[in-house]
Amino acid sequence: GLSTIRAFKAENSFIQLFAKKMDVNTSAYIIVQAATQCLALILTVLSSFILLATSISIALLSNQIDSPDAALSLICAMFIISGFQCSLRRLVESDILMTSAQRIDEYRHLPREENEEDCKHSVKTSTDWPDEGRIEFRNYSLRYGANLPYALRNIDLHIESGQKIGIIGRTGAGKSSLFKGLYRFVDQSNVTGDILIDDVNIHRLPLNHLRSNLTAIPQQPVMFSGSLRYNLDPFNSYSDEQCWKVLEDVQLKQFVQNHSAGLQMSISEWGRNLSVGQCQLINFARAILKNRKILLFDEATANVDQRTDDLIQTLIKNKFHDRTILIIAHRLNTVAKCDHILVLDNGMVVNYDTLTNILNSYQ
């Protein structure tokens, strides 16, 4: 993001924004430290009074108390004060740390996703479903909470098999929400309408079956700590020859061959030992290997250079020519070759046509 900030000469505004956030964070920290010191002072004063009261009592009763007993009383008073101070401080610290336990408890009580047993009136599909890749939205609306506004509103959309659909719109227009609806990431109580894939209502499918038959490539490449082969084929469903073939398709075969471990080369979490472009190409290799009929690209080329972007566009043209593809993008050239463009605004479809017709409508 630094290059974008510098390109728009927005350094000062971001520095001011960062300074304000630092002030908020520091002010909260200072308040906690001030409260801690205040508590320590109160405890010290209270302890001093207890010790003073003990000393006065010993002085008044000097004729009735032996010297060893007086010394023992003072020592016990000092230990009681120390223990009291320590206990009270630990109590305050535990109260602060219980915030973490409260968050864990909130996660524990989150409603779980539906599983196969919860799916009412579930339908069984063929092993190669979806074999055509047709997608239909029927008066579909989605929101993220019962008291929140709808992120998608009354979406009616029909996508034919093998079509390439470019999805554009401002931030918050509902582009990513469309994908979340397809993957059923949102609780069904916050959804109205239906989504059909090859005439099958996805709300009547087990989640595992639905999600395993869709392929998504997000903006941030997803890489796991492990070998390259594990990242390509986590469930060991394909042969080494097939893995080498898809690496060749994305022009990474030579790079992997130059590594002494080959397919077993180590990949760090999030692919930190690779470039962003290489990580994204591995994601595309995984998609080619998986060979699903429907693919969802969410800003898949936003963080790569022009050469990698051109390679990805070539892959989409050659390797996914018979697939149904939904592409979220901000670059016009990314969706320029799509069959149709879907324009979203405030969660509603404002235009759905070819790129030429849409451009003509704004002239």
Side-chain angles (χ1 to χ4, degrees), residues 142-197:
L142 175 149
R143 58 184 174 182
Y144 294 103
N147 300 319
L148 297 177
Y150 280 97
L152 294 175
R153 305 179 185 183
N154 306 320
I155 303 295
D156 283 298
L157 188 64
H158 186 83
I159 301 171
E160 291 293 341
S161 173
Q163 282 191 328
K164 312 296 184 290
I165 308 299
I167 305 173
I168 61 176
R170 296 175 181 269
T171 300
K175 303 184 297 297
S176 296
S177 297
L178 208 65
F179 286 7
K180 292 178 181 178
L182 282 167
Y183 268 95
R184 284 173 54 191
F185 284 147
V186 179
D187 189 84
Q188 296 308 295
S189 62
N190 297 316
V191 170
T192 59
D194 298 306
I195 300 177
L196 278 68
I197 297 179

Side-chain angles (χ1 to χ4, degrees), residues 64-290:
Q64 304 176 19
I65 300 177
D66 297 332
S67 296
D69 293 337
L72 181 62
S73 299
L74 287 174
I75 292 172
C76 288
M78 293 172 64
F79 274 109
I80 290 173
I81 292 167
S82 176
F84 176 69
Q85 287 179 332
C86 183
S87 300
L88 200 54
R89 286 174 180 170
R90 294 290 181 269
L91 180 63
V92 173
E93 289 176 3
S94 64
D95 184 62
I96 294 173
L97 294 174
M98 279 301 292
T99 304
S100 301
Q102 183 181 2
R103 290 173 181 169
I104 294 174
D105 186 65
E106 288 178 1
Y107 287 130
R108 190 174 68 87
H109 287 91
L110 285 175
R112 63 185 178 87
E113 290 187 319
E114 297 176 355
N115 56 28
E116 193 167 353
E117 290 76 18
D118 298 329
C119 191
K120 298 178 181 179
H121 312 295
S122 62
V123 296
K124 292 185 178 181
T125 61
S126 59
T127 55
D128 58 348
W129 179 91
D131 55 349
E132 296 183 24
R134 287 180 286 105
I135 304 173
E136 184 178 357
F137 291 82
R138 292 182 179 175
N139 197 29
Y140 186 79
S141 299
L142 175 149
R143 58 184 174 182
Y144 294 103
N147 300 319
L148 297 177
Y150 280 97
L152 294 175
R153 305 179 185 183
N154 306 320
I155 303 295
D156 283 298
L157 188 64
H158 186 83
I159 301 171
E160 291 293 341
S161 173
Q163 282 191 328
K164 312 296 184 290
I165 308 299
I167 305 173
I168 61 176
R170 296 175 181 269
T171 300
K175 303 184 297 297
S176 296
S177 297
L178 208 65
F179 286 7
K180 292 178 181 178
L182 282 167
Y183 268 95
R184 284 173 54 191
F185 284 147
V186 179
D187 189 84
Q188 296 308 295
S189 62
N190 297 316
V191 170
T192 59
D194 298 306
I195 300 177
L196 278 68
I197 297 179
D198 285 357
D199 299 324
V200 177
N201 192 329
I202 66 170
H203 299 131
R204 298 178 62 184
L205 292 172
L207 276 178
N208 182 59
H209 180 59
L210 169 66
R211 293 174 180 175
S212 63
N213 284 283
L214 300 175
T215 295
I217 299 181
Q219 179 177 347
Q220 181 66 36
V222 178
M223 303 292 289
F224 303 100
S225 177
S227 67
L228 173 61
R229 198 196 189 292
Y230 173 75
N231 276 274
L232 285 173
D233 181 21
F235 301 105
N236 201 26
S237 303
Y238 305 95
S239 65
D240 286 354
E241 290 74 17
Q242 290 173 299
C243 292
W244 281 113
K245 179 63 173 63
V246 296
L247 288 174
E248 184 178 8
D249 292 335
V250 298
Q251 298 184 14
L252 288 178
K253 183 177 181 179
Q254 189 63 44
F255 168 75
V256 178
Q257 284 179 333
N258 291 337
H259 196 280
S260 58
L263 287 174
Q264 298 304 319
M265 66 179 291
S266 178
I267 303 294
S268 62
E269 190 174 8
W270 295 106
R272 293 188 180 94
N273 57 335
L274 299 174
S275 69
V276 176
Q278 288 173 325
C279 291
Q280 199 63 292
L281 289 175
I282 292 173
N283 275 252
F284 271 88
R286 187 190 300 153
I288 297 172
L289 194 62
K290 197 175 179 182

